[in-house]
Amino acid sequence: MDDNRKQAVVPPLSPTLPLPPPRAPEVVGAVSIFPSDPIGVSHGAGTEPTPQSLALTPHLIHANDRSVATLSPDILGFESFVPELRGLRPEALLRALSERYREDPSVSNSLLLQHAINRLTNTGPVGEHLRKEIDKAIEVLHHAPSRRDEGANADDIFYWAYADASFRGASMFGDLPSGWIYWRTPYVGDAMNDVISSLTVTVTSNEVGGNVALFQDAGFVGKYQNYGVTVPPGINGYVQEDVSFVGDDFNDIASSILAIRRFASETRPVSISGLIKPGDITAIVNQFSGISPAGDATITWDLWPTGPTSSHDWHPDDPAKRFIYVLVPITVHTPAPFPDTFAQIRYWVYLYVDDSGRIQGFTEYWGYYVSSCCFLTSCITNDIANALAARIPGTIGQVNALVANAVAVANTGGPYRFTYFLPGKGQFTGSTWDDVTVVAVKR
């Protein structure tokens, strides 16, 4: 990091989940941000789990978030743990894994077969003979007996992402298993990172539709392009969207991919900022004395977080859940001769559908971030952090009241089965820092 940078633009805290661009003028006096800046967090409104989180059973969480994470593209040697796969050549390995999936069409076997395919195609174009074996393996994925969840309306949604325009070069395959909402690739792997230039998205005719979104950063963050395919009535076969070039603005920048299933009984997408005004959250925080707003709250998402992405960028270690992530920028006024400094208050809101079919939401985690500069001593910085840690719990009830008002409106259209998220404002292109969009699926 450049220690001579003299502006209040907050640099990314990690390559996975960077801070959003500031929307306010420069904070006077902020000179430089250091990796040692304090970041704090707590579970719920204090250190104890909230009553809402205690009521969440594993079954309820799974019912609300049926997602599958791909095997890490860079993982090697899974054959070592499966005796019948050891030492097999690529063609024989594909045939063995295809037969394994045909006999047991489980998600884990789908993961293994897709990983074996991508390990071959990620390095570049494959020969004709190997291509035929890959095509046969994919046919098995498409036509093996499915284990559908009731009402999932599911058969097949799959994509190919290519390193070159016009569907050439190294490639990556993803197939969303039946009965699941999300197929998530939080990192496309070293071979495919920042090289994707073209894409095909295919949805079979007994699906309602599907989306495949490319994201600039790992972890489904940053700029995105969201390709949606809807299956018209009367189609027999499949509908495919061919994107021969993702465009100059998105060429060679994608680092993560998210496939999302669509449903016949779903509501129209609604952005969270249309239900909860960012200014109302900002107003709650700015009741504190000694601070002033540094811009409106940012509403985004934090999907299946796996804990701190670095020592100074805290996120919950709660990979079974999707969160609405709210960041409120503030300026903290400090006594002379110390300059005012930038800080953030953060809330992680969990949205779910309960057993009665009603949408519920509450703040499951809260946190803060305090920047420092060469003029701020550690004791002043720690005083600010301690003050925020003491005050934030008093705001949780008010934030939850805003969430409750929003879901009360949404529940007039229920009962529901679950909700799912779309990036940003639900448009074809944008940034995850723009908003987060929710869709509810009716019973």
Side-chain angles (χ1 to χ4, degrees), residues 224-241:
Y224 69 84
Q225 286 191 356
N226 182 17
Y227 299 92
V229 178
T230 301
V231 179
I235 294 294
N236 184 20
Y238 62 88
V239 177
Q240 180 168 304
E241 179 170 355

PDB file of all heavy atoms in Angstrom, residues 224-241:
ATOM      1  N   TYR A 224     -20.721  -6.906 -12.099  1.00  0.00           N
ATOM      2  CA  TYR A 224     -21.272  -8.188 -12.531  1.00  0.00           C
ATOM      3  C   TYR A 224     -21.985  -8.039 -13.867  1.00  0.00           C
ATOM      4  O   TYR A 224     -22.363  -6.941 -14.278  1.00  0.00           O
ATOM      5  CB  TYR A 224     -22.258  -8.747 -11.492  1.00  0.00           C
ATOM      6  CG  TYR A 224     -23.547  -7.955 -11.389  1.00  0.00           C
ATOM      7  CD1 TYR A 224     -24.614  -8.179 -12.271  1.00  0.00           C
ATOM      8  CD2 TYR A 224     -23.718  -6.976 -10.415  1.00  0.00           C
ATOM      9  CE1 TYR A 224     -25.785  -7.445 -12.192  1.00  0.00           C
ATOM     10  CE2 TYR A 224     -24.886  -6.243 -10.327  1.00  0.00           C
ATOM     11  CZ  TYR A 224     -25.918  -6.487 -11.214  1.00  0.00           C
ATOM     12  OH  TYR A 224     -27.078  -5.752 -11.133  1.00  0.00           O
ATOM     13  N   GLN A 225     -22.149  -9.165 -14.539  1.00  0.00           N
ATOM     14  CA  GLN A 225     -23.076  -9.288 -15.660  1.00  0.00           C
ATOM     15  C   GLN A 225     -23.936 -10.516 -15.395  1.00  0.00           C
ATOM     16  O   GLN A 225     -23.414 -11.606 -15.140  1.00  0.00           O
ATOM     17  CB  GLN A 225     -22.332  -9.410 -16.997  1.00  0.00           C
ATOM     18  CG  GLN A 225     -21.728  -8.101 -17.445  1.00  0.00           C
ATOM     19  CD  GLN A 225     -21.209  -8.114 -18.863  1.00  0.00           C
ATOM     20  OE1 GLN A 225     -21.227  -9.144 -19.534  1.00  0.00           O
ATOM     21  NE2 GLN A 225     -20.743  -6.983 -19.339  1.00  0.00           N
ATOM     22  N   ASN A 226     -25.256 -10.331 -15.437  1.00  0.00           N
ATOM     23  CA  ASN A 226     -26.208 -11.362 -15.042  1.00  0.00           C
ATOM     24  C   ASN A 226     -27.039 -11.769 -16.264  1.00  0.00           C
ATOM     25  O   ASN A 226     -27.858 -10.983 -16.747  1.00  0.00           O
ATOM     26  CB  ASN A 226     -27.110 -10.823 -13.926  1.00  0.00           C
ATOM     27  CG  ASN A 226     -28.101 -11.849 -13.426  1.00  0.00           C
ATOM     28  OD1 ASN A 226     -27.946 -13.041 -13.660  1.00  0.00           O
ATOM     29  ND2 ASN A 226     -29.128 -11.383 -12.748  1.00  0.00           N
ATOM     30  N   TYR A 227     -26.809 -12.980 -16.760  1.00  0.00           N
ATOM     31  CA  TYR A 227     -27.487 -13.463 -17.960  1.00  0.00           C
ATOM     32  C   TYR A 227     -28.671 -14.329 -17.544  1.00  0.00           C
ATOM     33  O   TYR A 227     -28.499 -15.383 -16.934  1.00  0.00           O
ATOM     34  CB  TYR A 227     -26.519 -14.255 -18.836  1.00  0.00           C
ATOM     35  CG  TYR A 227     -25.354 -13.429 -19.310  1.00  0.00           C
ATOM     36  CD1 TYR A 227     -24.169 -13.391 -18.589  1.00  0.00           C
ATOM     37  CD2 TYR A 227     -25.441 -12.664 -20.468  1.00  0.00           C
ATOM     38  CE1 TYR A 227     -23.095 -12.618 -19.002  1.00  0.00           C
ATOM     39  CE2 TYR A 227     -24.373 -11.886 -20.900  1.00  0.00           C
ATOM     40  CZ  TYR A 227     -23.208 -11.869 -20.157  1.00  0.00           C
ATOM     41  OH  TYR A 227     -22.147 -11.101 -20.577  1.00  0.00           O
ATOM     42  N   GLY A 228     -29.884 -13.882 -17.869  1.00  0.00           N
ATOM     43  CA  GLY A 228     -31.087 -14.615 -17.525  1.00  0.00           C
ATOM     44  C   GLY A 228     -31.715 -15.251 -18.750  1.00  0.00           C
ATOM     45  O   GLY A 228     -31.814 -14.624 -19.808  1.00  0.00           O
ATOM     46  N   VAL A 229     -32.121 -16.512 -18.603  1.00  0.00           N
ATOM     47  CA  VAL A 229     -32.781 -17.241 -19.684  1.00  0.00           C
ATOM     48  C   VAL A 229     -34.139 -17.715 -19.178  1.00  0.00           C
ATOM     49  O   VAL A 229     -34.220 -18.377 -18.138  1.00  0.00           O
ATOM     50  CB  VAL A 229     -31.940 -18.442 -20.151  1.00  0.00           C
ATOM     51  CG1 VAL A 229     -32.683 -19.215 -21.234  1.00  0.00           C
ATOM     52  CG2 VAL A 229     -30.579 -17.979 -20.664  1.00  0.00           C
ATOM     53  N   THR A 230     -35.199 -17.373 -19.889  1.00  0.00           N
ATOM     54  CA  THR A 230     -36.551 -17.820 -19.563  1.00  0.00           C
ATOM     55  C   THR A 230     -37.021 -18.795 -20.633  1.00  0.00           C
ATOM     56  O   THR A 230     -36.811 -18.565 -21.829  1.00  0.00           O
ATOM     57  CB  THR A 230     -37.517 -16.630 -19.487  1.00  0.00           C
ATOM     58  OG1 THR A 230     -37.049 -15.715 -18.479  1.00  0.00           O
ATOM     59  CG2 THR A 230     -38.924 -17.083 -19.144  1.00  0.00           C
ATOM     60  N   VAL A 231     -37.646 -19.876 -20.208  1.00  0.00           N
ATOM     61  CA  VAL A 231     -38.134 -20.894 -21.146  1.00  0.00           C
ATOM     62  C   VAL A 231     -39.579 -20.579 -21.513  1.00  0.00           C
ATOM     63  O   VAL A 231     -40.460 -20.632 -20.653  1.00  0.00           O
ATOM     64  CB  VAL A 231     -38.036 -22.302 -20.541  1.00  0.00           C
ATOM     65  CG1 VAL A 231     -38.571 -23.342 -21.527  1.00  0.00           C
ATOM     66  CG2 VAL A 231     -36.601 -22.616 -20.156  1.00  0.00           C
ATOM     67  N   PRO A 232     -39.871 -20.241 -22.778  1.00  0.00           N
ATOM     68  CA  PRO A 232     -41.253 -19.945 -23.182  1.00  0.00           C
ATOM     69  C   PRO A 232     -42.111 -21.211 -23.146  1.00  0.00           C
ATOM     70  O   PRO A 232     -41.597 -22.325 -23.280  1.00  0.00           O
ATOM     71  CB  PRO A 232     -41.105 -19.425 -24.619  1.00  0.00           C
ATOM     72  CG  PRO A 232     -39.655 -19.116 -24.789  1.00  0.00           C
ATOM     73  CD  PRO A 232     -38.924 -20.048 -23.877  1.00  0.00           C
ATOM     74  N   PRO A 233     -43.428 -21.065 -22.981  1.00  0.00           N
ATOM     75  CA  PRO A 233     -44.312 -22.243 -23.017  1.00  0.00           C
ATOM     76  C   PRO A 233     -44.230 -22.940 -24.375  1.00  0.00           C
ATOM     77  O   PRO A 233     -44.035 -22.306 -25.411  1.00  0.00           O
ATOM     78  CB  PRO A 233     -45.706 -21.626 -22.792  1.00  0.00           C
ATOM     79  CG  PRO A 233     -45.452 -20.301 -22.154  1.00  0.00           C
ATOM     80  CD  PRO A 233     -44.155 -19.815 -22.696  1.00  0.00           C
ATOM     81  N   GLY A 234     -44.377 -24.251 -24.341  1.00  0.00           N
ATOM     82  CA  GLY A 234     -44.418 -25.019 -25.585  1.00  0.00           C
ATOM     83  C   GLY A 234     -43.077 -25.428 -26.135  1.00  0.00           C
ATOM     84  O   GLY A 234     -43.011 -26.135 -27.153  1.00  0.00           O
ATOM     85  N   ILE A 235     -41.996 -25.018 -25.484  1.00  0.00           N
ATOM     86  CA  ILE A 235     -40.666 -25.406 -25.956  1.00  0.00           C
ATOM     87  C   ILE A 235     -40.376 -26.853 -25.554  1.00  0.00           C
ATOM     88  O   ILE A 235     -40.634 -27.266 -24.423  1.00  0.00           O
ATOM     89  CB  ILE A 235     -39.589 -24.468 -25.363  1.00  0.00           C
ATOM     90  CG1 ILE A 235     -39.762 -23.049 -25.901  1.00  0.00           C
ATOM     91  CG2 ILE A 235     -38.190 -24.982 -25.671  1.00  0.00           C
ATOM     92  CD1 ILE A 235     -39.497 -22.918 -27.380  1.00  0.00           C
ATOM     93  N   ASN A 236     -39.854 -27.628 -26.466  1.00  0.00           N
ATOM     94  CA  ASN A 236     -39.457 -29.005 -26.184  1.00  0.00           C
ATOM     95  C   ASN A 236     -37.982 -29.150 -26.533  1.00  0.00           C
ATOM     96  O   ASN A 236     -37.605 -29.150 -27.697  1.00  0.00           O
ATOM     97  CB  ASN A 236     -40.305 -29.993 -26.986  1.00  0.00           C
ATOM     98  CG  ASN A 236     -39.979 -31.434 -26.640  1.00  0.00           C
ATOM     99  OD1 ASN A 236     -39.411 -31.702 -25.586  1.00  0.00           O
ATOM    100  ND2 ASN A 236     -40.323 -32.351 -27.530  1.00  0.00           N
ATOM    101  N   GLY A 237     -37.164 -29.266 -25.544  1.00  0.00           N
ATOM    102  CA  GLY A 237     -35.731 -29.339 -25.786  1.00  0.00           C
ATOM    103  C   GLY A 237     -34.985 -28.430 -24.835  1.00  0.00           C
ATOM    104  O   GLY A 237     -34.926 -28.694 -23.632  1.00  0.00           O
ATOM    105  N   TYR A 238     -34.466 -27.332 -25.327  1.00  0.00           N
ATOM    106  CA  TYR A 238     -33.725 -26.418 -24.467  1.00  0.00           C
ATOM    107  C   TYR A 238     -33.706 -25.024 -25.090  1.00  0.00           C
ATOM    108  O   TYR A 238     -33.980 -24.845 -26.281  1.00  0.00           O
ATOM    109  CB  TYR A 238     -32.299 -26.908 -24.231  1.00  0.00           C
ATOM    110  CG  TYR A 238     -31.460 -27.017 -25.478  1.00  0.00           C
ATOM    111  CD1 TYR A 238     -30.736 -25.917 -25.940  1.00  0.00           C
ATOM    112  CD2 TYR A 238     -31.374 -28.205 -26.189  1.00  0.00           C
ATOM    113  CE1 TYR A 238     -29.965 -25.998 -27.084  1.00  0.00           C
ATOM    114  CE2 TYR A 238     -30.605 -28.297 -27.329  1.00  0.00           C
ATOM    115  CZ  TYR A 238     -29.897 -27.192 -27.773  1.00  0.00           C
ATOM    116  OH  TYR A 238     -29.144 -27.272 -28.903  1.00  0.00           O
ATOM    117  N   VAL A 239     -33.386 -24.042 -24.251  1.00  0.00           N
ATOM    118  CA  VAL A 239     -33.184 -22.664 -24.689  1.00  0.00           C
ATOM    119  C   VAL A 239     -31.755 -22.297 -24.328  1.00  0.00           C
ATOM    120  O   VAL A 239     -31.313 -22.520 -23.191  1.00  0.00           O
ATOM    121  CB  VAL A 239     -34.172 -21.699 -24.018  1.00  0.00           C
ATOM    122  CG1 VAL A 239     -33.883 -20.260 -24.444  1.00  0.00           C
ATOM    123  CG2 VAL A 239     -35.606 -22.072 -24.366  1.00  0.00           C
ATOM    124  N   GLN A 240     -31.027 -21.742 -25.262  1.00  0.00           N
ATOM    125  CA  GLN A 240     -29.623 -21.412 -25.015  1.00  0.00           C
ATOM    126  C   GLN A 240     -29.341 -19.973 -25.411  1.00  0.00           C
ATOM    127  O   GLN A 240     -29.793 -19.510 -26.450  1.00  0.00           O
ATOM    128  CB  GLN A 240     -28.712 -22.350 -25.809  1.00  0.00           C
ATOM    129  CG  GLN A 240     -27.218 -22.076 -25.607  1.00  0.00           C
ATOM    130  CD  GLN A 240     -26.355 -23.174 -26.160  1.00  0.00           C
ATOM    131  OE1 GLN A 240     -26.505 -24.341 -25.792  1.00  0.00           O
ATOM    132  NE2 GLN A 240     -25.438 -22.828 -27.063  1.00  0.00           N
ATOM    133  N   GLU A 241     -28.613 -19.280 -24.548  1.00  0.00           N
ATOM    134  CA  GLU A 241     -28.132 -17.940 -24.877  1.00  0.00           C
ATOM    135  C   GLU A 241     -26.644 -18.025 -25.150  1.00  0.00           C
ATOM    136  O   GLU A 241     -25.866 -18.484 -24.297  1.00  0.00           O
ATOM    137  CB  GLU A 241     -28.405 -16.948 -23.743  1.00  0.00           C
ATOM    138  CG  GLU A 241     -27.877 -15.557 -24.058  1.00  0.00           C
ATOM    139  CD  GLU A 241     -28.333 -14.487 -23.085  1.00  0.00           C
ATOM    140  OE1 GLU A 241     -29.144 -14.803 -22.207  1.00  0.00           O
ATOM    141  OE2 GLU A 241     -27.867 -13.337 -23.214  1.00  0.00           O
TER     142      GLU A 241
END
